[in-house]
Amino acid sequence: MSGDQERHELEPDVLAERAELVDAEHDLGEQELSVGARRAAEALTGVAPEPGVAKPDAILVADGVVRQFGGLTAVDVEHLEVQRGTITALIGPNGAGKSTFFNLVSGFDSPTRGKWSFNGTDITQLAAHKIARRGMVRTFQLTKALMRLTTLENVMLGATGQGGESLWRAPLRFLWRAQERDNVTRAEELLERFNLTHMRDEFAGTMSGGQRKLLEMARALMVQPDLVMLDEPMAGVNPALTQSLLGHIQALRDEGVTIVLVEHDMDVIMSISDWVICFAEGRVIAEGRPDDIRRDRAVIDAYLGARRSLKEDPQ
Amino acid sequence: MRARVTSLFAALLLAVMLAPGAAAVGAISSPPATAVGSIAVSQGDSAETTSPADGAESTAEPGESEEAAETLRGSIRGPDREPVPGLTITVTQDGTEVGTGTTNDNGQWEVPLPGPGTYSASLDPAELPEGVAPKEEGGEEVTGVIVRPGANQGVIFQLAATGDGEEGSAPAAGGITFLDRFLQLTVEGIKFGAIIAITAVGLSLVFGTTRLINFAHGEFVTFGAVMGYFLSVSPVNLPLIVAAVLAMLLTALLAGVMDLTVFRPMRRKSAGMIQQFIVAIGLALVIRHVLLVFFGSRRRGYDEYNLQTALDFGLFRITPRDLVVTILAFVIMGLVAFMLQRTRIGKAMRAVNDNEDLASASGINVQRVVLTVWVVGGALAGIGGVMFGLTQTVYTNMGFQLLLLMFAAVILGGLGNAYGAMLGALVIGLVSQYSTLWFPSSLQNMWALLVMILVLLFRPQGILGRRERVG
Amino acid sequence: MDLLSILSNSFRGALGPEAAIYALAAVGLNMHFGYTGLLNFGQVGFMLVGAYGTAVPVVAWGLPLWVGILIGIACAIVLALLLGVPTLRLRGDYLAIATIAAAEVLRYIYRSEWAEPLTGGVFGITQFANDFYDLNPYSSRLDLGWLSFSPTALWVMTVGWGATFLACGLVALLIHSPWGRVLRSVREDEQAARSLGKNIFSYKMQSLIIGGVLGALAGSLMAINTQALTPDVFMPILTFYLWTIMILGGASRIMGPVVGAIVFWFLLTFLDSFLRQIIGDGLIGLESSDVGAIRFAAVGLGLMLLMMFRPAGLLGNQKELRLDVR
């Protein structure tokens, strides 16, 4: 039912899958750069590939964010900026603090100390739902489909500012009928975009793991966010769907949405990321364009160590 | 693995067996079962009575005909220990007369009451024989007698020969300082807490290994206490010690069977947690009310060790029975700790508690560990039930009342943490006893539950619990 | 054995005032558990404050009954706030324990000596609902031959079932609105709802208050129905009755509690009458004082079997329920 199972099923095919991915990366590399990618590359020219570097137009800025669990420091980020309109990848080995950092900035966990701002306003003390309403939406590592809601209802939930969500207006249908109609139209467009139209009235619980990933993205887009944070969007997804997901992510960036994604499988995202931030033991150890990261000594030591099977030999 | 369980039982059994010798030391002859809590006292310094402590509330189920109505009763003996017949006892409530009774040839009287509540009882000093008077001034009236639903509350009138009232009254009243009461309640609280602790450990272990809040755990306590009762009265008539051990084994068996027939199949079907939780509630209702059919709704005490002279340790007094029960409870806690720390099955339990998948992957038979947890938890609940029945009384609602205190203990200590449960139980025991320093004793459970709610407010992970990572 | 009288009793039980009162309380519980996923095991606490809120102002301060009912509702709102603020932020099982404990704490307080001037302590209070019966439009018995109801019972039934259906209608309107959509999303996954900008605490609190107020109204009716009130009516087992009713009918089904209450009371009275008859005929070695206990045991057994083999209840959708992964 869950992504875990699928991952198990895939185990024997891992090698084949990797080969496919490398090919796919080739293909992508040979394609002409999309509008968004070109725009992002231009914006980031001249930004030095070093940890904590300032960006020309940062949408998210974190300062001195520390999170300790008991004696263990899970996150210790001195300074971090995310450039607007880019696909920024947070990479790092398991337990490097990427997901914890995610939880912190999205308001799902509270930091030991530190502050961060989004679109220029400080959102450190803000509750998670308020952060989402301001246009920063996240997804989860383990997909959270709302099982006993239909696919359409799942997506509809993402719409913000719904009059019918207030208790007093809810029983008075005429007050929110028109808005609901508009939202249905928009939700149906999103379902169409993510090839989920045929599931419109099915319970989301009946979906496959991959469909749930798509549903989660559709739901997040319904919020009309400026920034989407994807927590391991490719985990447990088959190669064909991975391609489709990558395509969707790039399309979003081309529409001007900023994407931050967490992955520990570097190969998958190097090709689409405009900027990569590498975590290890809670700290940012490197930052830069994918090519910079591939060559970065610290990254190789901390993370690539055993996995030098990338196309480019770091030497 | 099975050998370990057996050895654990053997150890528990041994501990239980050690009890009688010590308990017998200070025991005095047991009176008829009906006279629990009501005894005539001739001289203030002659006897300490053990009245049924009000650790828990007996309550009539709604819509159910209560077989035993409330009464006030007692027996009156003069300073020469001879019964005083023909005395009129008047029972009032808020100044209104509720009823009267007359002492019979054995000096016994009984007045039926309209319901539970607070009453006063008085006798007419003029009717007393020549040379006999209430031991203290105003001693002809006993006020503030709290009668619980279904209770036959004993009332003691203290009489003395005229003239020696002065010397006798000094130690009995007025001399009790706040500190004395505090120390005495500390002892009571530790005793009560220790009993909660050994029952709460099972609840905590089951939660830790299966994430199930076992609502039926309280009923295991009742089951143990009631089995102990039936085995120790006629027709079986076993000595209470033997009955207690058998009750413990029977409860363990019941718990094991319940896991095998009800909860294991549900886990196998990967039934939701809420589903299992509600099944446990259903199970609790079944066990409690089946016991009610056989046991009846009255509170009863065990025949043995129910009236003892308290040992005076200067700072506090405790009956030998309670002392043994308390020590035994701590011994059992020690054994549980030993099991968790040192034995293979105990380590397996902790492993499953930490991470079931990981434990399963490293070759631990999780289902078997869970079964063992149920069996051990059941055994602890069973013996805890007998101890509770021994220090207080046996009634079918006792388990449920205790269950709420166990919840409080488990939450206080940190959900799923066995040592936390023990620590929490002691705190709960002390809180409930200390509350009687200032508040009515009928509310002592309430304070324990309020403490739990406060803990939820400020430190939901409990005293020993760790904060969970979100997301 | 007189089967006709057993059946007539059973039908009277299934449609009578108690069934209506339990249905109303279960509608509130369904709001909590069925639609929001809140494990409220203290619904009886809401009924208690509703009942005493209604009766105490009439007896102690001589206020009219309708003011009492409003006070009962206000008490339920206060209780929901007191209970919700500490526990709604916590995991579901904490809420279960906290609510059952809170309901017991309330019972202890209402029966304590402190509260006796107002609540009458363990003896309770009586004769406070005359205002209600003065409005009774029925003057004669309803007599269908084998089934009959007294005018007072009819009046309580009319109001009780009327309130229950109104409550069902309100719940239906709410649940099929965007508000209800958020509520159900909270039931499915709180974190997902939060990540989409929903203030889940606020929604859970609103649900707790609405369901609690429905419980309080049921408590008011219960007090009015008997004109006598003691705290020990509000034992935790009453909450378990309500859970059985809700699950029997089908949780998260609008009409679930109504169907559940009717079937539950039918079976319960049937069992009761049946047992009393066979005991009376000397067919079985039990005493009539055991009937109550056997009835409770049967409820427990029913709840177990229901949850093990048909957790979706009578109206529920088995397929939908299988999606529940908690």
Side-chain angles (χ1 to χ4, degrees):
Chain A
M1 204 165 187
S2 71
D4 282 343
Q5 267 174 348
E6 264 169 50
R7 207 180 333 206
H8 290 309
E9 284 160 22
L10 285 173
E11 221 82 82
D13 300 327
V14 163
L15 287 177
E17 180 196 335
R18 284 188 60 87
E20 245 176 80
L21 278 174
V22 171
D23 290 346
E25 207 179 344
H26 266 297
D27 294 346
L28 278 172
E30 283 155 19
Q31 276 167 15
E32 204 162 305
L33 282 177
S34 67
V35 198
R38 228 176 303 136
R39 206 166 41 212
E42 276 164 27
L44 287 167
T45 41
V47 179
E50 55 199 36
V53 68
K55 309 287 185 320
D57 181 13
I59 186 167
L60 178 70
V61 181
D63 251 314
V65 178
V66 176
R67 177 67 168 102
Q68 289 165 328
F69 294 103
L72 178 85
T73 304
V75 167
D76 182 3
V77 172
E78 263 171 46
H79 188 83
L80 191 147
E81 294 187 7
V82 173
Q83 168 72 16
R84 188 185 306 276
T86 60
I87 298 177
T88 302
L90 305 186
I91 62 167
N94 282 327
K98 307 170 305 253
S99 285
T100 310
F101 180 71
F102 237 63
N103 284 341
L104 287 171
V105 290
S106 58
F108 278 76
D109 191 4
S110 36
T112 313
R113 58 178 172 275
K115 57 183 205 269
W116 57 93
S117 62
F118 173 69
N119 267 339
T121 35
D122 183 49
I123 55 166
T124 312
Q125 298 296 326
L126 231 49
H129 67 271
K130 288 188 183 153
I131 294 180
R133 284 185 203 161
R134 283 177 184 239
M136 182 162 116
V137 180
R138 67 166 297 179
T139 67
F140 295 87
Q141 203 167 331
L142 296 168
T143 328
K144 292 184 184 301
L146 304 166
M147 310 278 240
R148 286 181 289 170
L149 266 60
T150 65
T151 307
L152 182 69
E153 284 177 319
N154 261 273
V155 180
M156 293 287 288
L157 193 69
T160 47
Q162 296 191 49
E165 286 186 359
S166 123
L167 178 59
W168 312 113
R169 259 166 288 184
L172 309 170
R173 190 164 294 239
F174 61 90
L175 286 178
W176 44 266
R177 191 183 286 144
Q179 192 192 27
E180 183 84 349
R181 224 173 5 238
D182 295 347
N183 285 338
V184 170
T185 317
R186 206 151 62 80
E188 281 173 340
E189 281 166 17
L190 281 169
L191 290 181
E192 187 66 51
R193 175 173 179 173
F194 288 96
N195 297 324
L196 291 171
T197 307
H198 61 292
M199 300 295 289
R200 185 182 186 275
D201 297 315
E202 302 287 331
F203 285 127
T206 61
M207 286 183 158
S208 72
Q211 285 174 322
R212 289 183 199 188
K213 292 272 178 197
L214 291 171
L215 173 65
E216 214 176 17
M217 279 180 77
R219 212 167 55 190
L221 290 185
M222 193 73 188
V223 186
Q224 293 180 310
D226 296 333
L227 173 66
V228 180
M229 308 185 80
L230 305 170
D231 199 348
E232 302 207 12
M234 320 304 171
V237 171
N238 68 48
L241 193 59
T242 301
Q243 281 314 306
S244 145
L245 276 172
L246 290 176
H248 283 303
I249 292 170
Q250 281 179 303
L252 277 177
R253 187 249 338 256
D254 294 351
E255 288 163 24
V257 179
T258 313
I259 313 265
V260 176
L261 46 83
V262 160
E263 265 297 343
H264 61 247
D265 192 351
M266 240 174 91
D267 311 2
V268 185
I269 45 161
M270 278 300 190
S271 56
I272 63 156
S273 304
D274 303 309
W275 194 258
V276 179
I277 300 173
C278 184
F279 273 67
E281 290 164 4
R283 297 163 182 278
V284 177
I285 56 164
E287 251 191 76
R289 280 157 284 264
D291 284 346
D292 303 329
I293 292 297
R294 284 199 181 100
R295 293 191 181 84
D296 192 293
R297 191 76 236 175
V299 177
I300 295 160
D301 286 348
Y303 176 63
L304 294 179
R307 306 186 58 184
R308 291 194 187 172
S309 54
L310 284 178
K311 299 182 297 179
E312 287 182 68
D313 194 296
Q315 300 309 311
Chain B
M1 191 180 278
R2 218 156 264 163
R4 297 288 183 178
V5 184
T6 332
S7 66
L8 181 79
F9 273 131
L12 284 176
L13 202 125
L14 192 69
V16 176
M17 287 307 199
L18 288 175
V25 174
I28 62 167
S29 65
S30 27
T34 49
V36 175
S38 76
I39 181 181
V41 175
S42 54
Q43 299 286 344
D45 51 354
S46 69
E48 178 81 7
T49 59
T50 54
S51 60
D54 26 30
E57 230 43 25
S58 110
T59 25
E61 305 283 21
E64 192 188 331
S65 63
E66 182 69 8
E67 88 177 41
E70 297 77 9
T71 59
L72 279 191
R73 49 163 70 173
S75 76
I76 299 181
R77 286 162 194 268
D80 48 359
R81 295 194 149 269
E82 282 302 305
V84 185
L87 280 179
T88 308
I89 310 294
T90 310
V91 177
T92 58
Q93 184 177 39
D94 303 329
T96 325
E97 185 177 312
V98 173
T100 57
T102 312
T103 54
N104 62 13
D105 288 344
N106 297 324
Q108 290 169 339
W109 59 274
E110 183 165 348
V111 176
L113 301 176
T118 310
Y119 295 90
S120 305
S122 60
L123 53 77
D124 185 356
E127 289 180 1
L128 288 171
E130 201 69 19
V132 176
K135 196 158 71 69
E136 289 158 45
E137 199 155 326
E140 67 271 16
E141 182 167 23
V142 178
T143 57
V145 182
I146 297 166
V147 181
R148 298 183 195 298
N152 301 309
Q153 181 66 44
V155 176
I156 300 163
F157 289 102
Q158 299 193 341
L159 302 179
T162 328
D164 54 47
E166 289 299 304
E167 48 183 327
S169 69
I176 300 173
T177 64
F178 181 85
L179 188 68
D180 289 339
R181 288 182 63 202
F182 183 81
L183 286 174
Q184 186 61 39
L185 288 174
T186 308
V187 173
E188 300 283 327
I190 289 173
K191 178 189 80 186
F192 190 36
I195 295 174
I196 300 175
I198 57 174
T199 54
V201 167
L203 188 69
S204 178
L205 283 175
V206 168
F207 178 84
T209 46
T210 63
R211 302 286 128 188
L212 168 70
I213 299 178
N214 180 17
F215 235 85
H217 197 74
E219 267 50 46
F220 292 160
V221 174
T222 317
F223 183 82
V226 169
M227 286 304 124
Y229 179 82
F230 280 131
L231 291 171
S232 64
V233 298
S234 70
V236 189
N237 272 330
L238 289 172
L240 187 57
I241 310 301
V242 181
V245 173
L246 285 177
M248 181 176 90
L249 295 176
L250 283 173
T251 316
L253 185 71
L254 175 74
V257 168
M258 285 306 139
D259 182 47
L260 283 179
T261 57
V262 178
F263 293 99
R264 184 183 279 190
M266 287 192 81
R267 283 197 300 273
R268 189 163 290 153
K269 281 195 293 183
S270 58
M273 219 58 262
I274 296 171
Q275 211 174 323
Q276 294 187 38
F277 179 54
I278 295 169
V279 168
I281 290 176
L283 178 63
L285 292 182
V286 173
I287 298 178
R288 189 190 320 166
H289 293 100
V290 168
L291 288 175
L292 183 61
V293 170
F294 290 103
F295 188 76
S297 57
R298 272 186 57 185
R299 287 162 172 252
R300 299 181 218 200
Y302 294 119
D303 278 352
E304 293 173 67
Y305 317 118
N306 57 3
L307 201 62
Q308 299 191 323
T309 308
L311 302 174
D312 197 335
F313 288 93
L315 293 175
F316 60 89
R317 291 136 83 75
I318 187 167
T319 57
R321 173 198 69 198
D322 289 3
L323 185 64
V324 169
V325 164
T326 312
I327 292 172
L328 190 60
F330 277 98
V331 169
I332 292 174
M333 277 191 262
L335 286 174
V336 170
F338 176 80
M339 176 195 73
L340 286 176
Q341 291 302 332
R342 292 294 157 86
T343 64
R344 242 176 70 196
I345 183 71
K347 285 176 187 164
M349 283 177 195
R350 285 190 297 145
V352 175
N353 193 341
D354 275 353
N355 187 332
E356 189 185 319
D357 293 334
L358 203 63
S360 171
S362 52
I364 293 174
N365 183 342
V366 173
Q367 293 310 324
R368 203 146 124 201
V369 171
V370 170
L371 177 62
T372 318
V373 163
W374 276 81
V375 168
V376 171
L380 292 170
I383 192 71
V386 176
M387 289 178 171
F388 187 79
L390 198 56
T391 54
Q392 307 197 2
T393 47
V394 183
Y395 54 103
T396 48
N397 226 0
M398 62 190 273
F400 183 72
Q401 296 296 335
L402 209 56
L403 182 72
L404 291 179
L405 298 181
M406 285 188 244
F407 281 155
V410 165
I411 283 187
L412 210 60
L415 217 49
N417 182 326
Y419 301 118
M422 296 184 200
L423 185 64
L426 289 174
V427 175
I428 290 298
L430 287 171
V431 165
S432 69
Q433 294 299 324
Y434 286 149
S435 76
T436 62
L437 280 171
W438 301 280
F439 305 108
S441 61
S442 56
L443 290 179
Q444 54 174 264
N445 285 4
M446 186 194 84
W447 294 108
L449 296 179
L450 278 180
V451 166
M452 175 183 86
I453 293 174
L454 284 180
V455 166
L456 283 178
L457 192 54
F458 294 110
R459 196 179 158 82
Q461 72 272 32
I463 304 171
L464 295 185
R466 268 171 307 183
R467 275 184 75 166
E468 278 174 54
R469 205 179 123 171
V470 212
Chain C
M1 189 166 20
D2 181 1
L3 195 64
L4 191 67
S5 92
I6 294 180
L7 278 177
S8 136
N9 277 342
S10 308
F11 276 107
R12 197 176 307 125
L15 302 173
E18 283 84 8
I21 290 163
Y22 279 63
L24 183 57
V27 172
L29 188 62
N30 199 21
M31 188 83 197
H32 291 157
F33 176 72
Y35 294 113
T36 326
L38 300 176
L39 284 176
N40 172 16
F41 278 89
Q43 183 70 346
V44 72
F46 288 104
M47 296 177 75
L48 178 110
V49 296
Y52 275 93
T54 304
V56 167
V58 178
V59 174
W61 308 313
L63 294 173
L65 186 68
W66 64 269
V67 176
I69 294 175
L70 289 183
I71 292 177
I73 291 174
C75 288
I77 295 174
V78 171
L79 176 61
L81 291 171
L82 283 177
L83 206 59
V85 168
T87 52
L88 285 181
R89 294 178 196 279
L90 301 171
R91 231 172 40 202
D93 35 10
Y94 284 101
L95 183 71
I97 294 176
T99 45
I100 195 167
E104 276 292 88
V105 166
L106 280 173
R107 190 172 64 85
Y108 284 129
I109 293 176
Y110 277 69
R111 75 200 294 279
S112 71
E113 290 141 55
W114 300 340
E116 210 164 306
L118 287 180
T119 66
V122 284
F123 304 101
I125 38 182
T126 54
Q127 297 303 318
F128 41 80
N130 296 328
D131 287 6
F132 178 83
Y133 291 103
D134 289 346
L135 295 174
N136 189 352
Y138 302 103
S139 53
S140 60
R141 296 181 69 82
L142 175 76
D143 208 336
L144 301 175
W146 54 278
L147 187 66
S148 73
F149 289 103
S150 72
T152 44
L154 272 179
W155 180 220
V156 180
M157 279 162 66
T158 309
V159 174
W161 285 116
T164 306
F165 283 109
L166 274 180
C168 285
L170 179 72
V171 170
L173 276 178
L174 285 174
I175 289 308
H176 295 120
S177 73
W179 184 84
R181 191 161 58 213
V182 179
L183 212 59
R184 285 179 293 140
S185 77
V186 169
R187 173 190 73 192
E188 297 301 309
D189 194 315
E190 291 183 7
Q191 304 298 0
R194 269 173 91 190
S195 77
L196 295 170
K198 312 302 173 197
N199 183 353
I200 54 168
F201 177 77
S202 159
Y203 281 93
K204 287 202 278 188
M205 187 58 100
Q206 291 171 32
S207 164
L208 193 65
I209 290 174
I210 294 172
V213 165
L214 292 179
L217 284 174
S220 289
L221 263 175
M222 198 160 165
I224 288 169
N225 183 37
T226 51
Q227 280 260 50
L229 201 51
T230 58
D232 292 341
V233 172
F234 301 94
M235 299 285 286
I237 198 163
L238 214 158
T239 306
F240 301 152
Y241 266 17
L242 297 177
W243 273 82
T244 311
I245 285 170
M246 176 182 65
I247 290 164
L248 180 63
S252 61
R253 284 283 173 275
I254 300 288
M255 293 306 282
V258 175
V259 173
I262 291 174
V263 175
F264 177 85
W265 276 97
F266 182 87
L267 294 175
L268 202 65
T269 354
F270 186 90
L271 180 70
D272 197 276
S273 306
F274 177 75
L275 281 174
R276 282 183 202 284
Q277 286 229 358
I278 59 171
I279 288 169
D281 297 350
L283 293 173
I284 190 170
L286 286 169
E287 289 173 34
S288 56
S289 60
D290 293 332
V291 170
I294 295 173
R295 219 168 71 158
F296 285 112
V299 172
L301 192 64
L303 188 59
M304 277 176 82
L305 295 177
L306 202 59
M307 218 50 210
M308 287 167 82
F309 300 110
R310 200 180 162 86
L314 295 171
L315 299 185
N317 175 345
Q318 298 288 348
K319 195 177 103 201
E320 180 180 343
L321 203 96
R322 265 205 296 282
L323 299 175
D324 184 8
V325 287
R326 278 171 299 180

